[in-house]
Amino acid sequence: MKLSPSTLLSAAIVGGATLASLVSAADAPSDVLVLSTDSFSSIVDSEPLMLVEFYAPWCGHCQALAPHYETAATTLKAEGIKLAKVDCTVEEAVCSQQEVGGYPTLKVFRKGSASEYGGTRKADGIISYMLKQALPAVSSVSASNLTEFKSKDRVVAVAYLTAADAKDQQVFSDFAESRRDSFVFGLASDAEAAKAAGVVAPALVLYRQFDDPEVKYTGKFDEAELSAFLTAESIPLIDEVGPENFMMYAEAGLPLAYYFTEPEDASREATIEALKPLAKEYKGKINLVWIDAVKFVNHAKGLNLRGEEWPSFVIQDIQGGTKFPLDNLGKDPAKTVGDWLKQYVDGKLKPSIKSEPVPKTQDGPVHVLVADEFDKVVFDDSKDVLVEFYAPWCGHCKNLAPIYDQLGEKYAESKDKLVIAKMDATANDVPPSAGFQVQSFPTIKFKPAGSKEFMDFSGDRSLDSFVDFLGLNAKNKVVAKDTTNDTGSSDPHLVHEEL
Ligand SMILES: *[C@@H]1O[C@H](CO)[C@@H](O)[C@H](O)[C@H]1NC(C)=O
Ligand SMILES: *[C@@H]1O[C@H](CO)[C@@H](O)[C@H](O)[C@H]1NC(C)=O
């Protein structure tokens, strides 16, 4: 499953923070265009570059995005880039035509052709992302505009290559094309620009708005080497993490190690300083950050810290979905953290897996699954297993509950062949053995008997759909009991509820 950092971000971080202060007055004049089914094509098809949000007025994430979207629209208007929105509860036809599967959905359009938006949902992130979309993958830079170009974004990579370096130019331009959503790339091919930059071609310099403002690249023009360099050097040694930059860390593809600290802690600055050598040592392997423990206590708990004592520390392998919390840092936090990191890279730490106690009995129609029993129940080769991962607060999960109970009843006689299970994924971690992470609620997975591979259930969540799906995919012969009336209902626009 593709990792969705924006989903993680909103779940992990926005959850704990308050955005109320950012909500703008509803009747302020807006730079966001309002599109309808009728006007959509005539406006979108002719714009060289625009961003469109598909939303529903009741959706919380859409409301949180709104003030950021407004700010970005105003800033980007000056750059000739338009932002628009479509209310999918009214303009159903265009939303269905655009295959909108959740709210909000953001798409970048170039003359009517759509691509996925890959930035954050914060004003700065939207602006930075769209400005990069407006630039060519590689801009040509000269001595006269080098200074201005260097400050275009928080990380700008400029290659100094002459016409003689044709092969390097090709490598650089392919590389820039592949990372154009994340970085601004420039190519300076005149000797004067290289002189102004204090380098001799072939060379590459990274201009940054943090730590050392200039970092010279000393490797070869090779895509893998350039990529490793950029991944390591585009991230500050140890920065504060929050909603604006979480996505950058999630996309870096490295484990993220958080130092949770209270804002009032007198020793905070000193400890962060003391962590810098560790950040250097593990640069390119693990990213280190610090985070406000009070504001983001829910995030701490989500990472299996107790959330009661600060400072504390946790390593999160975002890709692998594992976490390694350390509640008590003792008298010398930097030393304790150093030992923990060492054990982690040496593969000596076991991931922490949160679990509810194993239920003493299973009385209901649906098997109550917990993390500690996950492997035993789900990877029982003799059984077909359907699992719903839910959150107690999720509305779609609540709607599904009675249908899911009926489903359990239908197969009550076949429990030795087919398990209908549910797991509260807020109280239990999906173990790494599952091989997937739950990104939205409800997530419904099916594991056929004799297999270790999961399939997605993506039907309409009516009783009939479940029965049809199981009839089609279950390896064991099971018969659905004729039970009560089908109460299944679903809204085709709401494929999932985001975390
Ligand atoms: C910088 O100047 C050169 C020539 O003066 C021009 O070709 C180039 O487009 C400019 N680059 C930017 C990013 O403005
Ligand atoms: C099934 O549906 C019928 C007609 O809609 C209704 O009269 C009946 O009471 C329902 N039975 C149950 C058990 O819900």
Side-chain angles (χ1 to χ4, degrees):
M1 176 185 286
K2 184 180 177 299
L3 178 75
S4 158
S6 56
T7 308
L8 271 178
L9 160 73
S10 35
I13 293 198
V14 175
T18 165
L19 289 168
S21 57
L22 292 170
V23 176
S24 64
D27 52 2
S30 171
D31 289 315
V32 177
L33 296 173
V34 177
L35 301 181
S36 66
T37 298
D38 291 341
S39 68
F40 192 86
S41 286
S42 68
I43 293 175
V44 173
D45 290 358
S46 59
E47 282 301 320
L49 177 66
M50 82 186 290
L51 181 63
V52 181
E53 181 204 1
F54 300 89
Y55 75 103
W58 47 257
C59 137
H61 289 302
C62 306
Q63 290 159 12
L65 169 63
H68 293 277
Y69 205 67
E70 289 291 338
T71 305
T74 303
T75 304
L76 289 168
K77 190 183 175 186
E79 306 285 335
I81 301 168
K82 288 185 181 141
L83 267 60
K85 61 181 179 182
V86 180
D87 180 347
C88 290
T89 62
V90 180
E91 309 298 340
E92 284 177 26
V94 70
C95 294
S96 135
Q97 184 198 332
Q98 291 295 329
E99 295 176 349
V100 173
Y103 302 128
T105 291
L106 289 158
K107 292 189 182 195
V108 175
F109 286 87
R110 294 175 193 273
K111 297 246 179 221
S113 122
S115 59
E116 199 185 329
Y117 169 78
T120 71
R121 292 187 196 156
K122 303 281 147 190
D124 285 358
I126 298 170
I127 294 165
S128 164
Y129 186 87
M130 291 307 288
L131 285 177
K132 283 195 273 286
Q133 296 293 312
L135 287 174
V138 179
S139 306
S140 101
V141 185
S142 67
S144 64
N145 51 27
L146 177 61
T147 308
E148 184 202 339
F149 189 77
K150 284 196 299 207
S151 58
K152 269 212 182 297
D153 206 24
R154 55 182 290 287
V155 178
V156 175
V158 179
Y160 299 88
L161 297 169
T162 65
D165 309 313
K167 198 163 151 275
D168 290 348
Q169 285 206 22
Q170 189 58 49
V171 171
F172 180 67
S173 101
D174 290 348
F175 174 64
E177 188 61 53
S178 72
R179 303 292 290 272
R180 63 172 300 167
D181 288 354
S182 309
F183 301 103
V184 170
F185 294 96
L187 174 65
S189 38
D190 60 337
E192 230 180 300
K195 205 171 144 217
V199 297
V200 178
L204 183 138
V205 181
L206 218 56
Y207 299 99
R208 316 188 297 187
Q209 293 174 6
F210 54 86
D211 297 347
D212 297 334
E214 290 187 14
V215 187
K216 293 198 172 78
Y217 176 64
T218 51
K220 289 196 306 270
F221 275 77
D222 165 273
E223 253 191 273
E225 272 187 52
L226 284 169
S227 178
F229 170 75
L230 215 59
T231 300
E233 297 296 345
S234 60
I235 288 180
L237 270 188
I238 177 161
D239 200 2
E240 180 174 11
V241 71
E244 340 51 71
N245 58 358
F246 181 79
M247 175 116 151
M248 177 185 83
Y249 288 102
E251 283 190 333
L254 297 179
L256 184 58
Y258 307 73
Y259 176 65
F260 276 86
T261 167
E262 288 172 297
E264 302 88 66
D265 183 348
S267 63
R268 187 183 66 161
E269 293 294 327
T271 308
I272 291 170
E273 207 47 46
L275 291 173
K276 276 197 178 156
L278 290 171
K280 255 196 198 126
E281 182 180 345
Y282 291 103
K283 182 194 273 207
K285 298 192 192 82
I286 301 171
N287 285 320
L288 255 72
V289 292
W290 66 272
I291 181 165
D292 183 332
V294 176
K295 208 165 168 186
F296 298 114
V297 60
N298 287 340
H299 189 55
K301 288 181 182 164
L303 294 170
N304 295 358
L305 286 167
R306 282 198 293 274
E308 288 157 9
E309 55 195 318
W310 314 112
S312 51
F313 185 75
V314 52
I315 304 167
Q316 178 187 22
D317 176 350
I318 298 176
Q319 248 75 21
T322 50
K323 35 210 170 185
F324 304 85
L326 182 61
D327 279 289
N328 187 342
L329 299 188
K331 287 203 174 55
D332 187 349
K335 166 143 197 336
T336 315
V337 164
D339 291 346
W340 196 246
L341 286 167
K342 172 102 179 48
Q343 289 187 60
Y344 174 75
V345 295
D346 289 348
K348 292 197 176 131
L349 295 184
K350 270 220 169 88
S352 143
I353 296 168
K354 184 166 60 179
S355 179
E356 291 178 298
V358 176
K360 291 213 172 55
T361 55
Q362 296 281 355
D363 303 325
V366 172
H367 185 100
V368 177
L369 183 65
V370 300
D372 284 346
E373 232 192 2
F374 190 90
D375 287 3
K376 189 177 140 213
V377 173
V378 176
F379 292 125
D380 180 341
D381 263 4
S382 67
K383 289 173 188 160
D384 291 290
V385 184
L386 184 74
V387 187
E388 180 213 357
F389 300 89
Y390 71 97
W393 46 258
C394 140
H396 294 299
C397 306
K398 284 180 195 153
N399 293 343
L400 173 60
I403 298 164
Y404 208 66
D405 281 348
Q406 286 179 44
L407 185 69
E409 273 154 19
K410 263 194 183 297
Y411 295 102
E413 250 107 271
S414 318
K415 280 187 176 161
D416 55 330
K417 299 199 189 86
L418 168 64
V419 179
I420 307 290
K422 63 179 175 185
M423 181 160 124
D424 178 349
T426 66
N428 296 277
D429 288 333
V430 179
S433 58
F436 61 85
Q437 297 175 50
V438 169
Q439 307 278 2
S440 60
F441 297 119
T443 290
I444 303 163
K445 297 269 185 182
F446 178 71
K447 190 232 61 164
S451 165
K452 296 252 179 283
E453 300 291 316
F454 289 89
M455 301 166 63
D456 287 314
F457 171 83
S458 50
D460 68 6
R461 296 192 207 136
S462 66
L463 192 55
D464 283 347
S465 293
F466 280 113
V467 172
D468 289 351
F469 177 88
L470 292 172
L472 203 62
N473 295 296
K475 289 283 175 287
N476 292 327
K477 285 257 168 301
V478 286
V479 183
K481 228 184 357 190
D482 226 347
T483 49
T484 46
N485 298 335
D486 185 356
T487 55
S489 72
S490 74
D491 180 342
H493 282 322
L494 302 177
V495 178
H496 68 273
E497 172 161 343
E498 285 201 68
L499 281 173

